[in-house]
Amino acid sequence: MPQTIAFTKGHGTGNDFVIVADAEGELDLTDDQVAILCDRRFGIGGDGILRVVRASAISEGAEAVAAGAEWFMDYRNADGSIAEMCGNGIRVFMRYLDQAGWAVLADEPVLIGTRAGVKTLTRSERGIEVDLGAFRIEDAEVLVRAKGLAIARPGVGVDVGNPHVVVALSSREELEGLDLSAIPVLDPAPAAGANVEFVVPSDPLVVNGVGSLTMRVFERGVGETLSCGTGVAATALAVRHWAGPAAPDRWTVSVPGGELGVRVTPENHVLLSGPAALVYTGEITLA
């Protein structure tokens, strides 16, 4: 029987999402339903779906409940596949909670559960900041082949709760010449796949203690997106790793959808900050 559900459309620097409120965990969307909802011609359109569910109402929410987090971000990619985390998505999720009056982001931080652990969100001068937690730079090099690059390039693996491979390019022209309608090929290929970021450092790299980068991203399960929050963090961490001990802990990263901030704490946590907006609401009937 067809089912009508309410939704909200939101985005963070152009990384857009269909938000569905399901506080008690009663909605069971199939992969095909998610894909249709995210389809830009036959559905609402989005890079993924954010299901707003109480941590106590989802099987993966036990850690969040134990930490005192009321809400859990059930994030699905545009093809319906489950993702661990989304840096732009969780800021949009927080904006939704705040507007709905379900959690208020004021002087106190808000905890939100994800499949990559419990995340802490606070207000920042850029909008909303999320502590993505500890990160890991992988030791093994990955070769990346992409349409528009004459030869394979080395990439570094970065884990910020979900997997990334970051590739440095030599110029803005090379970055703009990429054709990311084709899936980049990774060798060796990670078992669970990875988001792939292509970055060009600014010249000069650092001004007034802040590093500056420009990147594009291919997200697994989605394709090229205007922005990827965890990818922005992973890119800053990769360039910081390449730059060595003198590298700064604050970064500004430009993506096609706007600009995001990254900072690294003495505890080796990486934090992402930027805007989040809700665009419109509506209802849609699912087959």
Side-chain angles (χ1 to χ4, degrees):
M1 177 181 293
Q3 179 182 17
T4 299
I5 62 171
F7 70 88
T8 298
K9 183 70 180 288
H11 78 91
T13 54
N15 198 190
D16 60 340
F17 309 95
V18 179
I19 308 160
V20 177
D22 182 29
E24 305 309 322
E26 298 169 342
L27 185 62
D28 184 18
L29 294 173
T30 67
D31 292 355
D32 287 342
Q33 287 174 324
V34 170
I36 286 293
L37 287 171
C38 291
D39 192 287
R40 299 190 184 278
R41 293 178 176 83
F42 297 99
I44 301 163
D47 294 325
I49 280 192
L50 306 172
R51 185 169 68 112
V52 184
V53 60
R54 284 195 169 88
S56 58
I58 186 170
S59 59
E60 298 98 325
E63 180 186 353
V65 171
E70 181 178 1
W71 297 100
F72 188 95
M73 183 180 74
D74 178 17
Y75 178 62
R76 308 269 291 277
N77 292 317
D79 65 355
S81 59
I82 291 173
E84 302 90 344
M85 178 54 192
C86 180
N88 286 321
I90 199 166
R91 298 195 326 279
V92 173
F93 189 96
M94 181 66 247
R95 182 71 71 201
Y96 180 89
L97 291 178
D98 190 70
Q99 182 164 302
W102 290 355
V104 179
L105 192 59
D107 296 332
E108 295 297 319
V110 173
L111 302 179
I112 294 175
T114 75
R115 291 185 177 86
V118 179
K119 306 304 177 186
T120 302
L121 290 97
T122 55
R123 289 196 182 277
S124 83
E125 60 185 16
R126 289 184 177 272
I128 298 174
E129 184 173 66
V130 54
D131 184 345
L132 298 174
F135 59 89
R136 185 175 71 252
I137 307 291
E138 307 290 355
D139 293 330
E141 188 176 89
V142 180
L143 281 179
V144 180
R145 293 176 174 81
K147 193 171 182 181
L149 292 181
I151 59 172
R153 303 293 174 85
V156 62
V158 183
D159 191 309
V160 289
N162 59 353
H164 297 263
V165 173
V166 182
V167 181
L169 300 182
S170 61
S171 67
R172 295 285 183 93
E173 291 74 21
E174 195 169 44
L175 183 67
E176 292 167 1
L178 287 174
D179 181 356
L180 294 183
S181 64
I183 303 174
V185 177
L186 306 182
D187 183 18
N195 299 331
V196 185
E197 288 80 26
F198 299 89
V199 59
V200 175
S202 299
D203 185 15
L205 176 62
V206 181
V207 176
N208 296 326
V210 180
S212 178
L213 313 167
T214 301
M215 68 156 242
R216 290 173 64 189
V217 58
F218 185 100
E219 291 197 55
R220 58 176 181 166
V222 186
E224 183 175 14
T225 58
L226 293 179
S227 179
C228 172
T230 54
V232 162
T235 297
L237 290 168
V239 176
R240 178 176 177 268
H241 170 71
W242 290 325
D249 290 330
R250 290 182 176 270
W251 297 82
T252 297
V253 183
S254 296
V255 293
E259 187 176 274
L260 292 158
V262 177
R263 64 187 181 97
V264 183
T265 70
E267 298 78 26
N268 275 333
H269 277 216
V270 60
L271 288 84
L272 173 76
S273 60
L278 304 181
V279 182
Y280 63 88
T281 62
E283 291 185 341
I284 190 168
T285 299
L286 297 173

